[in-house]
Amino acid sequence: MKTDPATLEIMRSYYNAIAAGMGHVIERTSFTTFVKESADFATALATPDGEFFVYPKTVGVTIFLGLSLKRAAEACHPLEPGDIIITNEPYSTDGLATHLPDVHVFKPIFVNGELISYAWAFVHCSDVGGLVPSSISPEATDIHQEGLRIPPVKLYKRGEPNADVHTFLNANSRSPQLNLGDFNAMVAAVNTAEQRMLSMVEKFGVQAVKDSMEDLMEQGELRSRKVIDRIPDGTYEFADYLDDDMLSDTPIRLAVAVTVSSGEITLDFSNSDPQVRTAFNLVTNGKKHSFLFQGLINYIISSDPYIPVNGGITRPISVVAPAGTLVNPVYPAAVGVRHTITMRLYNAVLGALAKAIPHGIPAAGAGQSAIVVLSTPDAQNGTRNMAVVQPMGGGGGGQSKMDGADGIDHASGFLRNTPIESLEQHIQVLVHKYELLENTAGPGLHRGGHAIRLDFEIIEESSIVTARGMERLRFHPWGLNGGRAGSLGKVQLNPGREDEQNLPKISVLHPKPGDIVSIHSPGGGGWGNPFERSPEEVLAEVRSGLLGLHEAEQLYGVVLVPVDGKLTLNQEHTDRIRAEHPVQAEFWDFGRARTAYEQVWTSEASDRLARLLQQLPPTQRAARKQLVHELADARIKGEPLNEAAIDALWTELV
């Protein structure tokens, strides 16, 4: 390490202030509610090699840590002072851009002609064309249906705007002015960072700045290895599921084998399902990508709260992601709902680690961040208005020392909710309910977080609602170490009225004025035996209105009775129920649906099918998987499948 520790800590504070300051610029100057209110943006500083050497954890989303600007920057060489690069293209950037609405802007910073750093920002912009308003449809079948693809190109050349690029950006959006406002916010952010980085060079000297960047990366790597070294060596396997691919009822399986060895971790996704026909694919080009192991990153940061948050944390991590799988699709697979895969990978990786460090891992949270978007016609100019109604998270998973967070899952990247007042100012909508839901938290010694209910009324004719990323309507968030599974989500139209309807996951919904769309998110899984939860905590939960009297007795063995108009604990009956009917504390509680599914589709059978499918061209695999499942349903009639049964079905199809 070239920088003495005291000076390095001072410089680290400077860098954090610069990176966070970029985020504050975006918050204060952006146009759209999803950026300035929900905070779907990020900022960071990168080394000349494109690695993020400082990444703020208090401003914007945190899930881009560990990605690289290298390939996108190389596509725009030669770089010159004043250049600003823009891109949203996943395949040509090694997954820096993960879907088309995420638009990235970065600026090379030069000192005396030498590149010393990059200032980087991204925002999720309102619309880049595509099948639906806001661009993302889960049912898109290739990336060309998802909107404008922007390969790495110079938005500014030597400080001057590239008029041609601005022209085609404006021509390919339903809301060009909203996009332009957010793009300009990013430009202001990276320009601000450049000025402050140059001030640091004047204060400390260019060599000290260059040395401190690499020293911070090295420090992040060394401390990350220390955390990983505390995990017992071994290989730990786990799988989790998305409900379906929107085209059939067949679940999507994400399987991982996590191998820990002497301070390093390898994550092998070879037994995951093939890329799907719809938009649930994650582009990585087979390379290390933070979306594959965000749960592991968060575990490391939580285990060492003072670790420098930078790409060095990911250096001890490697991945195996075969081409043609969900986590390494081949062009032109659709990728718009890639964050759904990311959140389930979060569950899968932490599920594997729970086998090694059960007291260090939370139960599964809601596992969704359904971005509910409302689009209404703009009668004045013929375009459409758009706003994110809410990023609908759900309950977090219970932990060994505390309850899960209500209404927000730690896997969601720390998106904030949109204030109702701000939403109703930006678009014609009337929100009826936005509240926590009772009896949705997975029971446990430490319960899961409660789910959210959102009811909003449609005001305008020709309104369109989309809700990408809606999940856990079929497979519960799992409970851990004796905790129980969390509740499922659901969608309704006009709840409580004569025309009430239960709806499937929303892709594109065309409600009428006066219709009320009601969305319930999933609740988090519980951690630990619920019969060991303090009766006083159960009583407080009932008094808060989030747990019913019946549920308190059935799920926790706690009997509450009214005394002088106030609920009071009946300790004698509680002790008797808990003694007579102790809960059998299974390590996992996957919920009824997953348990029933895996009684037929065992891990052995699913792993075997995944390996057989890899013999086919990637674009044929999803259809063949569906055929095998249909044949199994017809032939097996609910009996458990093994490798021999899968081989027989495969041979019959071939």
Side-chain angles (χ1 to χ4, degrees), residues 260-316:
V260 185
S261 178
S262 303
E264 296 193 348
I265 284 187
T266 300
L267 297 96
D268 188 342
F269 299 96
S270 297
N271 288 334
S272 288
D273 272 357
Q275 66 186 64
V276 293
R277 297 163 287 183
T278 46
F280 298 95
N281 301 295
L282 172 65
V283 173
T284 64
N285 289 355
K287 299 182 180 180
K288 185 164 66 177
H289 195 289
S290 59
F291 278 35
L292 294 173
F293 46 79
Q294 188 61 44
L296 176 57
I297 291 173
N298 284 2
Y299 170 77
I300 293 168
I301 293 172
S302 298
S303 300
D304 182 355
Y306 303 105
I307 191 171
V309 180
N310 59 46
I313 290 172
T314 71
R315 287 180 175 177

Side-chain angles (χ1 to χ4, degrees), residues 120-304:
W120 165 86
F122 106 91
V123 302
H124 181 103
C125 71
S126 293
D127 185 274
V128 289
L131 287 170
V132 298
S134 77
S135 302
I136 300 176
S137 169
E139 296 178 321
T141 55
D142 72 58
I143 196 169
H144 298 283
Q145 297 175 352
E146 298 184 312
L148 174 68
R149 296 167 62 213
I150 311 168
V153 64
K154 293 182 181 180
L155 184 66
Y156 283 73
K157 292 183 177 180
R158 297 186 294 277
E160 296 297 324
N162 187 339
D164 292 340
V165 173
H166 281 83
T167 297
F168 74 68
L169 291 176
N170 292 338
N172 284 277
S173 173
R174 298 173 178 88
S175 55
Q177 292 306 310
L178 291 177
N179 285 356
L180 181 61
D182 288 349
F183 295 165
N184 286 341
M186 287 192 287
V187 169
V190 297
N191 284 339
T192 300
E194 179 186 42
Q195 295 168 8
R196 293 176 179 173
M197 283 292 290
L198 294 178
S199 295
M200 275 196 71
V201 170
E202 289 182 9
K203 184 177 182 67
F204 295 100
V206 66
Q207 192 60 48
V209 168
K210 290 162 59 178
D211 290 345
S212 63
M213 292 178 194
E214 190 51 48
D215 288 343
L216 284 171
M217 295 289 286
E218 180 182 337
Q219 191 179 80
E221 176 184 359
L222 291 174
R223 292 174 71 160
S224 177
R225 289 185 185 278
K226 287 182 179 179
V227 172
I228 295 171
D229 200 44
R230 296 199 291 268
I231 302 172
D233 285 359
T235 297
Y236 310 97
E237 298 182 358
F238 194 77
D240 213 330
Y241 300 86
L242 299 186
D243 293 336
D244 54 61
D245 65 357
M246 306 291 289
L247 299 179
S248 73
D249 292 332
T250 303
I252 300 172
R253 182 173 183 261
L254 286 148
V256 63
V258 177
T259 299
V260 185
S261 178
S262 303
E264 296 193 348
I265 284 187
T266 300
L267 297 96
D268 188 342
F269 299 96
S270 297
N271 288 334
S272 288
D273 272 357
Q275 66 186 64
V276 293
R277 297 163 287 183
T278 46
F280 298 95
N281 301 295
L282 172 65
V283 173
T284 64
N285 289 355
K287 299 182 180 180
K288 185 164 66 177
H289 195 289
S290 59
F291 278 35
L292 294 173
F293 46 79
Q294 188 61 44
L296 176 57
I297 291 173
N298 284 2
Y299 170 77
I300 293 168
I301 293 172
S302 298
S303 300
D304 182 355

